[in-house]
Amino acid sequence: MSWHDCPPADAKPPPGDADPVEMIIVPRSSDLGGFEVARVLPFRDRRMVGPFIFLDQMGPNTFRPGQGLDVRPHPHIGLATMTYLYEGEILHRDSLGCVQPIRPGEVNWMTAGRGIVHSERTPEAARADGGTVAGMQAWVALPKPNEETDPAFVHHDDATLPVIDDGGVRVRLIAGSAFGESSPVATLAETLYADVSMTPGSSLPIDAGHEERALHLASGRVAVDGQAYEAGRMLVLAPGRTARVTAETACRLMLLGGATMDGPRHIWWNFVHSSRERIEQAKADWKAGRFDPVPGETEFIPLPE
């Protein structure tokens, strides 16, 4: 199925509300020890989009031979993390004993639940040669009944994810259902996540099938219902509104969202939960060394003071 078979994105807007873009978020740049990221979520006026509570655009960062990414072991609770790369390679290790490299177009989906510890590093072979790392790091909050679920890790290679290639638009469906396809990535909340590449002049309709939706413009320039937007912006779409995205240049964007979360979430450092008291317990547990370690690793990131 192609998006040309989907309902048209030029349906009449609700009276008095012609703009499909509800909010524009400008990410904040941050240097994480020599690794540049643009922090998109959380934003002061928009904490979440669907279950997405944290979103970073990583890089592109270029490392000289012998250098690389070294995110030491650190804990998570109450969320699932999803690393998705445009370029480069990262090696994931966690306290379950999972060791898994991730490359462009693949998915590492880690469910923290009641608690997990992991590290993210440049593999030795890639470190020896140097190179570029770029992509997206996302966290999704877990529904309240699943916040204390057992931790888990699943890898999906690029061949398992649906790809829709039509009319100058290429969509890799990372999670959820859209454009007549469904991803095999299992999620605990209704989640939409897709990597979209567009050639100049191509267009893509975005339907209103998901309660909350946003477009993060990673590169290039687009028009949404005729209004132009530059890269480095997240466009939060109005609920119930269809929209048509047209590429003014070659561009890449992430389509994300899902159902509204079942209540607010608190976020502190790497911890997400509906209960502040549970986050305080996680802080005490990490400080006291009560989380399971990552096998083979002795370093760790201390609790921020």
Side-chain angles (χ1 to χ4, degrees):
M1 185 183 222
S2 77
W3 36 83
H4 299 301
D5 303 316
C6 297
D10 53 359
K12 291 182 179 179
D17 183 13
D19 190 351
V21 177
E22 181 180 74
M23 178 182 293
I24 302 171
I25 295 176
V26 180
R28 311 176 305 282
S29 294
S30 182
D31 188 328
L32 304 181
F35 191 75
E36 187 77 16
V37 301
R39 179 133 313 153
V40 185
L41 291 174
F43 181 64
R44 64 181 182 275
D45 296 323
R46 184 77 189 217
R47 308 301 293 176
M48 303 176 71
V49 177
F52 287 83
I53 193 167
F54 178 96
L55 186 70
D56 271 356
Q57 181 172 338
M58 305 182 293
N61 288 273
T62 300
F63 296 105
R64 295 194 298 270
Q67 295 183 330
L69 177 69
D70 281 299
V71 180
R72 294 168 292 163
H74 57 281
H76 291 285
I77 66 163
L79 55 82
T81 71
M82 206 286 294
T83 303
Y84 186 82
L85 294 181
Y86 300 148
E87 296 181 73
E89 183 177 350
I90 295 176
L91 182 65
H92 163 97
R93 295 178 183 270
D94 65 39
S95 51
L96 300 175
C98 301
V99 179
Q100 177 64 57
I102 182 171
R103 302 176 181 90
E106 301 177 343
V107 169
N108 277 1
W109 189 280
M110 184 183 76
T111 301
R114 59 181 168 77
I116 199 168
V117 180
H118 75 135
S119 67
E120 295 167 294
R121 302 181 186 272
T122 300
E124 289 305 316
R127 188 184 300 267
D129 296 335
T132 300
V133 174
M136 305 297 299
Q137 178 71 52
W139 299 354
V140 296
L142 300 180
K144 288 180 182 178
N146 305 110
E147 287 181 297
E148 297 298 318
T149 192
D150 289 341
F153 177 83
V154 178
H155 175 79
H156 294 266
D157 66 30
D158 58 351
T160 66
L161 301 178
V163 173
I164 309 158
D165 201 336
D166 184 53
V169 182
R170 188 173 191 270
V171 177
R172 184 182 299 276
L173 189 58
I174 300 167
S177 298
F179 310 115
E181 298 285 351
S182 295
S183 166
V185 176
T187 63
L188 293 171
E190 182 192 312
T191 305
L192 169 65
Y193 202 30
D195 174 19
V196 182
S197 297
M198 304 178 70
T199 59
S202 62
S203 66
L204 175 69
I206 308 296
D207 67 26
H210 294 275
E211 192 173 6
E212 299 187 5
R213 302 152 300 150
L215 300 167
H216 174 66
L217 310 181
S219 64
R221 186 175 68 250
V222 304
V224 179
D225 284 12
Q227 177 65 47
Y229 299 95
E230 300 287 340
R233 303 287 186 273
M234 173 181 272
L235 311 178
V236 181
L237 301 180
R241 279 298 313 269
T242 59
R244 182 171 293 278
V245 181
T246 302
E248 297 194 340
T249 67
C251 63
R252 190 167 200 171
L253 56 91
M254 303 300 289
L255 171 62
L256 63 131
T260 302
M261 210 62 210
D262 57 351
R265 292 297 187 273
H266 307 291
I267 181 170
W268 188 91
W269 192 39
N270 302 313
F271 304 137
V272 169
H273 211 277
S274 60
S275 164
R276 291 186 187 276
E277 291 75 16
R278 180 65 180 90
I279 289 179
E280 290 301 317
Q281 182 62 57
K283 290 162 66 174
D285 288 344
W286 182 246
K287 194 168 186 177
R290 289 191 285 265
F291 277 81
D292 292 337
V294 176
E297 300 218 27
T298 57
E299 294 182 301
F300 65 93
I301 300 178
L303 187 78
E305 297 296 340

